[in-house]
Amino acid sequence: GAVVSQHPSWVICKSGTSVKIECRSLDFQATTMFWYRQFPKQSLMLMATSNEGSKATYEQGVEKDKFLINHASLTLSTLTVTSAHPEDSSFYICSARARHYETGELFFGEGSRLTVL
Amino acid sequence: SQKIEQNSEALNIQEGKTATLTCNYTNYSPAYLQWYRQDPGRGPVFLLLIRENEKEKRKERLKVTFDTTLKQSLFHITASQPADSATYLCALDMESSYKLIFGSGTRLLVRP
């Protein structure tokens, strides 16, 4: 099956610093990747759609200047949480569709747990 | 407003029984409906997809039904096992936007 790798799996940072999370599709090309955020015992909330070679599309209420997304290649998308604050602490998960899979399911990374002190 | 509703209460069943989880939605017209499994601290894993013109889909011990009139999907796990314990998420696939919108999930606990 298609594999999505996410790094780091967890990160602790001080308030005011920036944190970058990488999402890689290991064995397929992903023109589109999706970034989700999940608070404890809550659903996955779509933050943005990352498009290779173009600007990301952000969901309503998501600050694009705070959550910078870069999709520089067909296998890599990055999410940078800028000037992180404790309320940004959450579980961030990326996902991608594999073009050769007709069924259209999403393949998810293992998630990155961010804790901002 | 648009909503995807899954039972927030955990479903607690005895091993060997059939687990049935419900997903209801309002103000959506999805092309597909998908079910995922999520274990604590992990990313979701795809289980099944059902199209709007399909009534039922099966895969091993899993069965999904899709009623676009009722705007409801049922997810069944037959002969449940303790290893089936996890949170199960339904997701609506908006073909026009290629986005996947998730319900809040239902936690399933299978007792040995």
PDB file of all heavy atoms in Angstrom, chain A residues 8 10 47 70-72:
ATOM      1  N   PRO A   8       8.643  15.495  12.748  1.00  0.00           N
ATOM      2  CA  PRO A   8       8.862  14.528  13.831  1.00  0.00           C
ATOM      3  C   PRO A   8       7.552  13.970  14.355  1.00  0.00           C
ATOM      4  O   PRO A   8       6.487  14.517  14.073  1.00  0.00           O
ATOM      5  CB  PRO A   8       9.554  15.389  14.898  1.00  0.00           C
ATOM      6  CG  PRO A   8       8.964  16.747  14.694  1.00  0.00           C
ATOM      7  CD  PRO A   8       8.754  16.893  13.218  1.00  0.00           C
ATOM      8  N   TRP A  10       6.878  13.732  17.546  1.00  0.00           N
ATOM      9  CA  TRP A  10       6.491  14.615  18.638  1.00  0.00           C
ATOM     10  C   TRP A  10       7.549  15.699  18.787  1.00  0.00           C
ATOM     11  O   TRP A  10       8.725  15.500  18.477  1.00  0.00           O
ATOM     12  CB  TRP A  10       6.308  13.847  19.943  1.00  0.00           C
ATOM     13  CG  TRP A  10       7.506  13.099  20.414  1.00  0.00           C
ATOM     14  CD1 TRP A  10       7.854  11.825  20.122  1.00  0.00           C
ATOM     15  CD2 TRP A  10       8.551  13.602  21.264  1.00  0.00           C
ATOM     16  NE1 TRP A  10       9.033  11.489  20.733  1.00  0.00           N
ATOM     17  CE2 TRP A  10       9.479  12.561  21.441  1.00  0.00           C
ATOM     18  CE3 TRP A  10       8.779  14.824  21.897  1.00  0.00           C
ATOM     19  CZ2 TRP A  10      10.626  12.719  22.212  1.00  0.00           C
ATOM     20  CZ3 TRP A  10       9.921  14.981  22.673  1.00  0.00           C
ATOM     21  CH2 TRP A  10      10.824  13.930  22.817  1.00  0.00           C
ATOM     22  N   MET A  47      -7.280  21.547   7.990  1.00  0.00           N
ATOM     23  CA  MET A  47      -6.701  22.881   8.074  1.00  0.00           C
ATOM     24  C   MET A  47      -6.491  23.472   6.686  1.00  0.00           C
ATOM     25  O   MET A  47      -6.822  24.627   6.428  1.00  0.00           O
ATOM     26  CB  MET A  47      -5.353  22.827   8.788  1.00  0.00           C
ATOM     27  CG  MET A  47      -5.407  22.345  10.218  1.00  0.00           C
ATOM     28  SD  MET A  47      -3.762  22.214  10.917  1.00  0.00           S
ATOM     29  CE  MET A  47      -3.254  23.926  10.933  1.00  0.00           C
ATOM     30  N   ASN A  70       4.143  24.452   2.599  1.00  0.00           N
ATOM     31  CA  ASN A  70       4.932  24.447   1.384  1.00  0.00           C
ATOM     32  C   ASN A  70       4.909  23.052   0.792  1.00  0.00           C
ATOM     33  O   ASN A  70       5.183  22.071   1.476  1.00  0.00           O
ATOM     34  CB  ASN A  70       6.373  24.868   1.688  1.00  0.00           C
ATOM     35  CG  ASN A  70       7.197  24.989   0.418  1.00  0.00           C
ATOM     36  OD1 ASN A  70       7.659  23.997  -0.122  1.00  0.00           O
ATOM     37  ND2 ASN A  70       7.360  26.189  -0.058  1.00  0.00           N
ATOM     38  N   HIS A  71       4.581  22.962  -0.485  1.00  0.00           N
ATOM     39  CA  HIS A  71       4.507  21.661  -1.165  1.00  0.00           C
ATOM     40  C   HIS A  71       5.437  21.742  -2.373  1.00  0.00           C
ATOM     41  O   HIS A  71       4.995  21.905  -3.500  1.00  0.00           O
ATOM     42  CB  HIS A  71       3.059  21.402  -1.586  1.00  0.00           C
ATOM     43  CG  HIS A  71       2.778  19.989  -1.968  1.00  0.00           C
ATOM     44  ND1 HIS A  71       1.525  19.439  -1.844  1.00  0.00           N
ATOM     45  CD2 HIS A  71       3.560  19.019  -2.460  1.00  0.00           C
ATOM     46  CE1 HIS A  71       1.548  18.189  -2.258  1.00  0.00           C
ATOM     47  NE2 HIS A  71       2.770  17.915  -2.641  1.00  0.00           N
ATOM     48  N   ALA A  72       6.725  21.623  -2.086  1.00  0.00           N
ATOM     49  CA  ALA A  72       7.738  21.919  -3.092  1.00  0.00           C
ATOM     50  C   ALA A  72       7.956  20.805  -4.105  1.00  0.00           C
ATOM     51  O   ALA A  72       8.461  21.045  -5.197  1.00  0.00           O
ATOM     52  CB  ALA A  72       9.066  22.241  -2.403  1.00  0.00           C
TER      53      ALA A  72
END
